[in-house]
Amino acid sequence: MPKNLTTKILEAHLVEGKLVPGTEISIKIDHTLLQDATGTMAMLEFIAMGLPRVKVDLAAQYIDHNLLQTDYKNADDHAFLTSAAMKFGVHLSKPGNGVSHQVHLERFGVPGFTLLGADSHSPTAAGISVLAIGAGGLDVALAMAGHPFNLPCPAVMGVKLTGKLLDWVSGKDVILEMLRRHTVKGGVGKVIEYYGPGVATLSATDRATIGNMGAELGATSSIFPSDDRTRDFLVSQGRGESWQPLAADEGAGYDEYDEIDLSALEPLIACPSSPDNVVPVREVAGTKVDQVIVGSSVNSSYRDLMTVCRIMEGNRVAAGVHFHVNPGSRQSLENVAQDGGVLMLLMAGVSIHQSGCLGCIGMGQAPGTDQVSLRTFPRNFPGRSGTKGDKVYLCSPETAAASGINGVITDPRKLGEIRSYPAVQNPEKYLLDDSSIIFPLEDSSKVEIKTGPNIVPFPDFDALPESLQTTVVIALGDNITTDHIMPAGNKVLPLRSNIPAISEHVFEQVDPDFPARAKVAGNGIVVAGENYGQGSSREHAAIAPRFLGIRAKIVKSFARIHKANLVNFGILPLIFKNADDINLFRQGCHVSFQGVRQLIESGASEIPVSVDGKEVITLLEISARQRQELLAGGTLNLVKHQQH
Ligand code: MIC
């Protein structure tokens, strides 16, 4: 039977299970990726496993998120990660070398390989046909230790691409169109596989943009065939030997279908404050803009940056607009510099920053009160920029540049009335520079791991009690993001290796009294609507609430990574059997789960809950392995227990 590409890659990596959507499978992981914001915790978890060296073909640690050094904390964490990477045979990409996704695409990704990354945007590697999946730090630490990765087998949505993008329209508009059609939960439980004649018209970096923001659809991953464009990109990176052709078999089927005629797309924009709030740029054209930022996690490749350089050449940034460029990698910036792009930006009045995530994770670049910020980033969840009530729009580099020149949101095709489209291609041969990567040492016996005062030991979590008597600590609506649960930003991110301290910031923007109430409740519960925990892979959105005593979350539906993180840290991920029952749960209600431990042990999938004396049924849809983890109070407890 003809197979789609996702099935072929999953089959080649299958360790356990059957490829039946929704059932648990285990797959072999070829590459792992950590960044510094999730990496400190993941590295501590790896160290707790007691191995002398990683047991994966290639492990990489990037320092790209916590780049502001306002005190010792981030610097301490970077020293810890550098020494640990050197000790355990991990490639270390130094601060300023670039964003994990862009650097991994350029220097390490291999078509047909699996990549597990402690960052939800890891599927950027889809640009060169890597099946890349975002996961919590603990899952990545386990993969570094050579364990297979467990996940619900995804369904595959085949998206046929036909036609060719018109001038002034690029990869960002393709993924914004997907978000317009399918929303932030349309990809949950699915891999999005692109195929068809339109694929060959997209460069590896345009494909990477589409893969990156597949995370915004909630997708498990995205994938493109590996073709001549993939080979060209790998050859241009001096890695032609890594290429192999990969595609779905002729006549292969998919669980779901969609089709996009690339020639019919126009410039699109996601309005505040969700990546699926998408409209054509022309509908919001004329809106005054205060800030424009190109780059960071997505749209930070050579093609994207050089397109902006060419558009800005001979133009000026409008008065009243601050235009920033955050290159995705040192390599992109060096190549842009070699081709004269840096001067084009500087003379236009653009500020060029170091390569890294920066404002994309709220590490600086917060907009002012009531200001409009136009960004090529992947996310615009409320307050993520660092400013409460922010007005962040997401768009292509073309739209960003045109708007930066005019000072108002501008359909870039307007520029086409006065000049030709730059149609920038990626270089045939990149200027290569790996000087900021520390490669694994053969003998690391003399390396000492440096732990500064910011690295606080992981808290002990108790096993699940027989029954739970508690209260609802907070009741929320749909689409709650991990940014709501565990905010990022330059004040909170440096606490990622200090669970007691970071816990004080849980739900900070939603309800600042949450931590105090949760501590009083003891074993408290959180109630919410659809797609709870969408967004980032940060496991801190599970660990910190658990530290405050949260023991169960009852929602209408979960985002994949967050659900796995909850189990990893011993929080029951429960779903309302009858969605309307949510109305019975209000903050402060008394809740009890009688005999919950025994029910979980016996494999029950229905868990009754009494709320103010009324019984409601919730569903526990997890694997037998995950039941053991919940009973133990979390995966680490179970692993420790199994070791003794
Ligand atoms: C994000 O976009 O939120 C990040 C930065 O990529 C996060 C990482 C984090 O929270 O550390 C992610 O998606 O995993």
Side-chain angles (χ1 to χ4, degrees), residues 35 37-38 65 119-121 361 379 384 496 536-538:
Q35 39 93 334
T38 53
H65 278 66
D119 191 297
S120 62
H121 294 115
I361 184 83
R379 293 189 172 140
R384 185 177 157 89
R496 286 273 179 103
S536 163
S537 68
R538 59 188 75 143

Side-chain angles (χ1 to χ4, degrees), residues 216-329:
E216 272 43 74
L217 291 163
T220 303
S221 188
S222 297
I223 192 89
F224 281 88
S226 168
D227 57 8
D228 291 351
R229 303 295 297 262
T230 321
R231 189 189 47 215
D232 292 349
F233 182 77
L234 289 167
V235 167
S236 71
Q237 289 288 334
R239 301 200 295 118
E241 73 293 345
S242 298
W243 182 74
Q244 58 161 321
L246 293 169
D249 294 333
E250 194 64 41
Y254 294 94
D255 299 301
E256 229 178 280
Y257 291 86
D258 197 4
E259 181 166 340
I260 297 180
D261 175 2
L262 298 174
S263 352
L265 289 184
E266 63 174 308
L268 297 172
I269 190 163
C271 300
S273 290
S274 178
D276 61 359
N277 197 6
V278 175
V279 297
V281 173
R282 61 187 157 76
E283 282 186 17
V284 285
T287 308
K288 190 186 167 313
V289 170
D290 302 279
Q291 184 190 49
V292 175
I293 316 182
V294 173
S296 293
S297 169
V298 70
N299 294 118
S300 50
S301 65
Y302 174 90
R303 190 222 77 102
D304 292 316
L305 300 186
M306 202 62 203
T307 298
V308 172
C309 298
R310 291 271 177 226
I311 297 174
M312 298 312 290
E313 189 179 10
N315 278 305
R316 295 276 320 157
V317 174
V321 174
H322 190 180
F323 196 135
H324 311 241
V325 163
N326 303 340
S329 67

Side-chain angles (χ1 to χ4, degrees), residues 111-132:
F113 274 35
T114 52
L115 164 69
L116 194 70
D119 191 297
S120 62
H121 294 115
S122 303
T124 310
I128 50 170
S129 314
V130 176
L131 189 71

